[in-house]
Amino acid sequence: MEKKFKNHAVVGMCALGLIGLNSCLKVDETYDLDKDFDMTITVGGDLTVPGSSTEKIVLSDLLDLEDNSVIKVNNSAGDYYLVQDGETSSTDVKVPEVDINMTNGFKGVSQTFNIPAGIGSDMPEKNIEFKDNIEIDINENGITSDIKSISNAETTCRNTYLVFSKNTNQIKAVLENGYTIEFPNYITVKSENADWTAEGNILKLTKAEGMEISNNTKIKFQIVNVKFDQNEAVFTNNENEKDNNSVHFGGNISLDGNVTASALTNAGGNFTLSANVEAENMIIESATAVVDPEVDIKIDPIRIDDIPDFLAEEDVILDLTDPRIYITVTNPSPVAVNMDAALKSYKEGNKKGEAYLQNVNIPKECENYVICVNQKREEWDTTEKIMYKKVEGLSDLIKNIPDRIEITDVETSVVQEEVTIDLNKNYTIVTDYKVDTPLMFGPETKITYTEAIDGWDADLEDMEFDRVEASMNVINEIPLGVRMTAKAIDVNGNVLENVKVDMDVEIKAGEIGAPTTQNVNFTLTTDDGRIAGLDGIEISVVASVDNNVSDVTLNENQTMQFTEIKLRLVGGITMDLN
């Protein structure tokens, strides 16, 4: 465990007792002991420090974590988590627009009529039927491969007109009210002329006095929708050619209605009435289609900093039983995405662990959709609104406390389903992720730490003794078992080879409401004279877990308590007070 944990244990067992014994030996200060006295004092017999106990020491005090530590209390219950945020990343999804050239896509019609001559001011009118079909033949290649099939398109057209004309100014021709222009069923039109109304695929003249035809009468309109479920509107997906899909529009525009014609001179005679469509291009702005745009998701690595001391040793192993990586995605696009990826951890440039994320679905039109990568659950949690995605071997990523974790080798595929999508629009997919893992440890866990508990020389430098016997009870609610061994050291940190610390202590793991109680005994002895020059003890701690507490999370309210701490100095002590 961490420094403060060991300090409480060792100082409670040893240092406090020895220092306290020293403070109990008093000399009358009225004497001048610097004159003519040998101040070496031997206190014979076995000396015992009366038993004592500590209060319960909560884990938050034992760990004494810094505010910026990756180990944090992360819920109201006080549970400890390993928490490290990653960086936000984004990628754009866009299906290119489709631009269809319609310049030469229509074949106009003409009809010739004979109009009788007028006499004086009496110009007889002739009612004629102008009924014909304008043929459509539009073809466009080079359309993006991002579109796999299409059933419906919302469109706009540039400079699109129905054009009526006559070949002479000597004849007056008027389209009568109610004249209709009917497009194929797959087309929906919109009138941009006040004298015409549109309903579905039909334009209708609604001006009571009709519309006089000049040599170049234009009726502006829009094609606003195209349905591709007709034989006359065909989208072809050329699988083997990049960006070479094609579109064909066919069928006829049917003209139906009457024209009132009259001669403007006494001549009369034949005149020709023509109709055609002038158009530049059609832009598909939105499509109901199966699309497959590129989705290039890249996620910056998580860097794990500010690791506390008790996890920083090289041979520490964290066998976390419920590791979790949370991926948060906002996908405003109408396409759902499947993602596979590799999760890799590194320490000092060396790969330490690897796991694989497969068949992760990122829904369409989602905001802050949370995916919890874990190794226990595979389900949608309706309460938490979290998708749990199970990944085998996830704990291997964190076992050696990496300094970074990467989600790499990302492969994405758009779900092949029909959606309605705006073309040539950037949809930005935003991803964010973090490690947020409860500190629940499995049986492979090994937390090692070595710490010198020193500074005793100031109190013990004038003392010599033969043997110290220490005992106490340890009451443990922390779900970690602890084994401690020790060596005696001098003021320079060197091991005192002639002093043996008979400490091989195993404290069993416990939990709140079910603590373990362990009696602990150890001795300091020497087979080479008396113990002298002792400045402290170098403690080696190994923490581990058994299966009984593998699902118990470290919690700031878990406690450890030391009771009935007793020290016995066998053979007395010699103190040099000169």
Side-chain angles (χ1 to χ4, degrees), residues 437-498:
T437 296
L439 291 190
M440 294 190 296
F441 301 115
E444 292 184 44
T445 296
K446 179 184 177 184
I447 300 174
T448 64
Y449 195 85
T450 300
E451 177 65 19
I453 309 301
D454 54 15
W456 304 355
D457 182 70
D459 295 287
L460 303 182
E461 61 181 347
D462 298 323
M463 288 186 182
E464 294 182 2
F465 43 90
D466 292 331
R467 175 185 178 92
V468 177
E469 296 177 353
S471 67
M472 68 176 180
N473 289 328
V474 180
I475 302 171
N476 185 24
E477 289 184 332
I478 299 169
L480 288 172
V482 177
R483 181 178 181 181
M484 294 189 295
T485 58
K487 298 178 182 179
I489 56 174
D490 64 17
V491 71
N492 296 314
N494 299 317
V495 175
L496 294 173
E497 300 293 348
N498 67 321

